[in-house]
Amino acid sequence: MQSVSCNRTWAIYKGMQEYFDSVHVVSTSNRHLLPQDEINTSSVPIADARTIDYRTIFQRRGNPSVAGEKAKTSLFGKTAAKLQSSFPTLYLFGEGNALYIRNAIQAAERILKTHRITHLFSTFPPYADHLVAAKLKRDYPELFWIADFRDLHVDPAQDNLLWRKYQQKVNRRILLDADLVTTVSEGLAQHLKDFHPCVQVLQNGVRASLQRSPERYPKFTIAYTGSMFQDKRRPDTLLAAIRQLIEKGICTVHDIELVYAGKDSAVWWPLVIRYGLQPIFKDLGLLSRKEAETIQQRSHINILLTYSTDTLKGNLTGKLYDYLAAGRPLLVVINGPTDAEIESLITETGAGIVVYHNEVERTVEFIAKLYDIWKHTHDLKHTYNASAMKKLMWPAILEEFVTKNKRILK
C-alpha cells in the first residue's frame, strides 16, 4: 500500500528470501481498498485476512481513511485515536480489530499446516499483528517470534493512550512470549527494554531502486513531503529563515520556491501567511509515493521535520531513509533537545545538516550557501559518503542482522 511503513515490511520480505527457503505473508484485505503502491505483488504468497474496520468503512464511502492533523487534534479526533490505540478498546475500534485478528490467525494456521514455517515476524503498528503472532506462538511454541516496533505503543512523548499503566502491563504480558524484540533506533530500544529482556535495533534501510537523477526544478526548490504530527513537527524555523533570506536580498521571490506535498495543507497555510511566503509557496496536496519521490529527487533541498524530548530520542522515521535515497541536500529540523543518533547519521552520510527549533541563523547559512552555488552554476551537485550509504542499504542492514543472530535464524 502507499505507506512509508510498507517500505520496511516489503524490504524485509524481499531480503529474507536470501536466508530462508520461503517467506509467506499474512495481510489485511484492506490492502485492496487503500491507495496502491506501484510495486507488483502478484507473485507474492499473500494470504488476505478479511477486515472490516474504520479504514474499510471510510474507503468504501469514498472518504479518505487518513485523517489530517486538524481532525486529529480535535477533541473527537483525540478520543477516537486513543480508543483505536488502547487496550481493550482496540479490539473494537482499532485498525484490524478482532475480526482481522481472528481471520489472520486462521490464515496463518493454514500456512503453518502446509509449509515448514520456523519463524514469525510481526510489526507494530497496528498492534493487531502482534496479537496474531502472540496467539500463534502460544499454540506453536517451537516457532521463533520476532516482534518488531516501527514506533512505540507506549510513547513517553505522546498523550495517545488511555490507562497508560494498564497498557504497559498488557505490553509486558504479550511480549513475554516473544523471542526477540526489534525496533528502528537505539532511542526506541531503550524504552522497549522495559517490556522485554532481548531488544535489538533493526534499523530502516535505503531502497537502492530509488537512486535516480531526474532533472532539477528550474527554481531553487526547498521541499517537504509528508505529514505533520500534532504540534511536534514545526516548520517555523525553516519559514523564518526563508523570510530572512528574502528580506536580506540573498534570494528573490522569483527564483526560490517552497514546495509542500501531503495531507496537512490546513496546517501549512496559516504559517505560510504569517511569514508572508504566499508568493513562493506551492501546495501540491496529497500525492502518490512515486510522485513524492520525484519531488524529493528534483528538489535542491529536502526538509525533514522531526522532534525529540528528554525521554525520547532516535526518532529515525522511514521518511528519513526516503530522503537519503533521493541523494539531495537534507535539512533536518528537530523540535526538542539534542538528538545524537540523528546527528550521527546525517554527519556520517554527509547528507546535510541538523538544526534545532529557533536555530534560524544556522538554517539561513545552510540555505544561503547552497543557493549561492546554484545561482552561479544553475546546478547543485551533492555527493553523499558512499561507504556510509552502502551500510544503510537494505541488503547490508539485513545481512548484519542475520549475521548477529546466526544461531537463532539458521
Side-chain angles (χ1 to χ4, degrees):
M1 294 177 284
Q2 276 189 22
S3 167
V4 173
S5 63
C6 287
N7 290 354
R8 181 173 178 84
T9 48
W10 175 253
I12 290 171
Y13 162 76
K14 293 288 288 184
M16 284 303 179
Q17 293 181 67
E18 184 175 339
Y19 304 101
F20 290 87
D21 293 333
S22 63
V23 183
H24 297 259
V25 180
V26 176
S27 187
T28 169
S29 59
N30 279 351
R31 71 189 184 91
H32 300 289
L33 298 176
L34 297 170
Q36 299 292 297
D37 201 339
E38 297 190 359
I39 293 173
N40 187 350
T41 61
S42 60
S43 62
V44 179
I46 303 177
D48 287 335
R50 183 168 176 263
T51 309
I52 301 176
D53 60 10
Y54 70 93
R55 290 187 184 276
T56 320
I57 295 168
F58 286 156
Q59 204 66 30
R60 285 178 175 172
R61 289 180 176 178
N63 299 318
S65 58
V66 179
E69 282 305 309
K70 290 293 186 181
K72 289 181 180 179
T73 54
S74 67
L75 178 60
F76 175 81
K78 288 179 179 179
T79 304
K82 289 180 180 181
L83 289 170
Q84 291 166 7
S85 301
S86 303
F87 288 100
T89 51
L90 65 78
Y91 287 100
L92 289 175
F93 304 111
E95 187 175 351
N97 66 42
L99 177 65
Y100 165 79
I101 293 169
R102 184 197 69 185
N103 291 336
I105 291 170
Q106 292 175 352
E109 287 179 333
R110 287 193 291 271
I111 296 171
L112 287 166
K113 290 175 182 177
T114 55
H115 299 275
R116 194 174 64 87
I117 302 299
T118 57
H119 292 71
L120 292 173
F121 183 91
S122 58
T123 182
F124 166 87
Y127 217 109
D129 288 329
H130 284 340
L131 295 173
V132 171
K135 177 66 166 62
L136 294 171
K137 174 66 175 181
R138 289 193 296 272
D139 293 346
Y140 303 87
E142 71 279 6
L143 294 172
F144 189 93
W145 175 26
I146 302 172
D148 181 62
F149 285 82
R150 305 188 305 276
D151 297 300
L152 295 177
H153 179 237
V154 184
D155 190 328
Q158 295 186 55
D159 179 25
N160 66 324
L161 296 172
L162 301 169
W163 320 294
R164 291 182 71 86
K165 288 186 178 180
Y166 178 67
Q167 306 308 315
Q168 293 172 328
K169 181 179 179 180
V170 174
N171 269 269
R172 289 190 184 94
R173 187 173 72 237
I174 292 170
L175 295 178
L176 185 66
D177 291 326
D179 296 282
L180 177 64
V181 171
T182 55
T183 190
V184 298
S185 72
E186 291 290 349
L188 271 62
Q190 294 305 311
H191 291 278
L192 289 168
K193 287 176 182 177
D194 290 339
F195 304 125
H196 198 277
C198 188
V199 180
Q200 290 184 21
V201 173
L202 173 57
Q203 70 181 103
N204 285 309
V206 175
R207 292 187 295 161
S209 61
L210 295 183
Q211 300 295 326
R212 301 185 291 271
S213 298
E215 184 180 353
R216 309 289 175 234
Y217 286 113
K219 291 185 178 182
F220 185 82
T221 301
I222 301 170
Y224 180 77
T225 56
S227 301
M228 305 302 286
F229 186 69
Q230 301 171 12
D231 62 345
K232 292 180 169 59
R233 295 176 183 172
R234 300 182 61 178
D236 303 76
T237 300
L238 169 69
L239 300 178
I242 296 174
R243 179 74 255 167
Q244 197 172 125
L245 287 164
I246 294 172
E247 288 177 346
K248 290 182 176 180
I250 298 173
C251 305
T252 74
V253 295
H254 303 294
D255 61 9
I256 187 171
E257 194 161 62
L258 174 61
V259 170
Y260 170 68
K263 61 182 176 57
D264 296 315
S265 300
V267 176
W268 276 85
W269 271 109
L271 293 169
V272 167
I273 293 170
R274 181 192 304 173
Y275 288 94
L277 298 178
Q278 304 95 305
I280 70 164
F281 185 59
K282 190 172 184 179
D283 179 8
L284 299 178
L286 187 61
L287 301 178
S288 70
R289 191 165 74 188
K290 184 175 181 181
E291 290 171 319
E293 288 168 358
T294 299
I295 293 171
Q296 294 160 15
Q297 293 158 21
R298 294 192 66 190
S299 297
H300 299 92
I301 300 176
N302 282 314
I303 305 298
L304 177 69
L305 301 177
T306 187
Y307 67 95
S308 64
T309 70
D310 291 333
T311 56
L312 181 64
K313 307 286 178 68
N315 207 353
L316 305 182
T317 65
K319 179 65 66 177
L320 169 58
Y321 294 85
D322 277 357
Y323 281 149
L324 292 174
R328 306 305 300 145
L330 181 57
L331 173 62
V332 180
V333 183
I334 299 179
N335 178 27
T338 301
D339 193 320
E341 197 167 0
I342 294 181
E343 286 194 17
S344 176
L345 180 61
I346 299 302
T347 300
E348 289 174 5
T349 57
I353 187 175
V354 175
V355 301
Y356 293 86
H357 187 60
N358 288 333
E359 285 194 322
V360 177
E361 290 304 323
R362 288 190 64 216
T363 307
V364 167
E365 290 173 8
F366 178 73
I367 297 175
K369 179 180 177 182
L370 296 178
Y371 175 85
D372 186 63
I373 296 172
W374 171 83
K375 189 70 173 177
H376 289 88
T377 64
H378 288 283
D379 195 6
L380 185 55
K381 295 179 180 179
H382 189 74
T383 304
Y384 284 21
N385 183 309
S387 61
M389 286 298 294
K390 186 176 180 180
K391 293 178 183 177
L392 290 176
M393 296 295 175
W394 267 115
I397 295 291
L398 292 176
E399 181 181 9
E400 180 183 4
F401 177 71
V402 171
T403 301
K404 184 176 182 179
N405 297 284
K406 201 167 187 178
R407 180 179 62 83
I408 58 178
L409 294 180
K410 64 182 179 179

